[in-house]
Amino acid sequence: AAFAYSLTFVYYEQYDTIQGVAIQALMLAIGAVWLASALLTNIANAFFVAGTVFTATLNVIGGTYLWNQVPLHGYAVDINAVSVVTLVMAAGLMVEFCCHLSSSFLYAHGSREERAKFALESTGSSILTGITLTKMCGVAVLFFARSYLLVIYFGRTYTTIVVMGAFQGLVVNPV
């Protein structure tokens, strides 16, 4: 028996199943975040961290959509293997922005307001300088690349990840 084969068939199959794979991978990543947080802190904090990571990942998807409204030489971010891997990594990177603050809040003493103030004072500057600004320095280099793949899929997407992560970690989380 013979069958037709072409390299384009591989790409067609990828685009046929990529949305389901993306949803499954993101849910597994957020589930892993929940499990790790539950094992290290408590279940309530795990739901909080996983929920924050989920909403931050949705923010990255929305930010990517906004970037696509300004295509670079006709190119935009499509749902493919590269963007799905980047989104799953975004879920992992978002943990950095929210887990340190929520752990500080969890182990502080006093009223909720006092604990939030302590968490921001003790870990807020580390999140801003140690995570946000250092990642932005690394991401800024990608915008000068000659490859549109690096600029679009990594420069724009990682900028969105860092900005949304900082927003979630420093503005939304304390509230």
Side-chain angles (χ1 to χ4, degrees):
F3 62 92
Y5 175 77
S6 172
L7 187 58
T8 58
F9 292 169
V10 175
Y11 295 112
Y12 175 76
E13 185 176 348
Q14 171 189 331
Y15 288 115
D16 193 35
T17 60
I18 197 71
Q19 288 179 344
V21 169
I23 292 169
Q24 180 183 19
L26 284 172
M27 290 299 114
L28 284 171
I30 291 169
V33 166
W34 180 87
L35 182 63
S37 295
L39 291 174
L40 294 173
T41 57
N42 61 35
I43 292 177
N45 188 51
F47 278 114
F48 179 75
V49 170
T52 304
V53 168
F54 177 72
T55 57
T57 306
L58 289 179
N59 287 342
V60 169
I61 293 170
T64 304
Y65 173 79
L66 291 176
W67 275 114
N68 281 344
Q69 303 309 307
V70 185
L72 183 65
H73 298 285
Y75 296 107
V77 175
D78 294 325
I79 297 178
N80 57 28
V82 175
S83 61
V84 170
V85 168
T86 304
L87 280 175
V88 172
M89 287 188 336
L93 290 172
M94 292 300 170
V95 174
E96 285 188 70
F97 291 102
C98 67
C99 75
H100 301 297
L101 194 71
S102 65
S103 293
S104 275
F105 177 83
L106 190 64
Y107 296 117
H109 300 289
S111 68
R112 283 185 168 196
E113 190 173 305
E114 291 169 343
R115 291 164 60 192
K117 183 178 178 184
F118 173 78
L120 276 173
E121 288 174 351
S122 63
T123 58
S125 63
S126 297
I127 292 170
L128 182 64
T129 58
I131 300 172
T132 307
L133 296 179
T134 56
K135 283 193 188 329
M136 285 305 291
C137 289
V139 170
V141 175
L142 294 172
F143 283 100
F144 298 105
R146 292 183 183 177
S147 168
Y148 293 129
L149 175 82
L150 289 176
V151 174
I152 292 171
Y153 281 97
F154 297 108
R156 288 180 169 188
T157 306
Y158 279 103
T159 299
T160 307
I161 290 169
V162 172
V163 169
M164 291 300 156
F167 176 74
Q168 286 287 112
L170 295 172
V171 177
V172 176
N173 232 4
V175 175

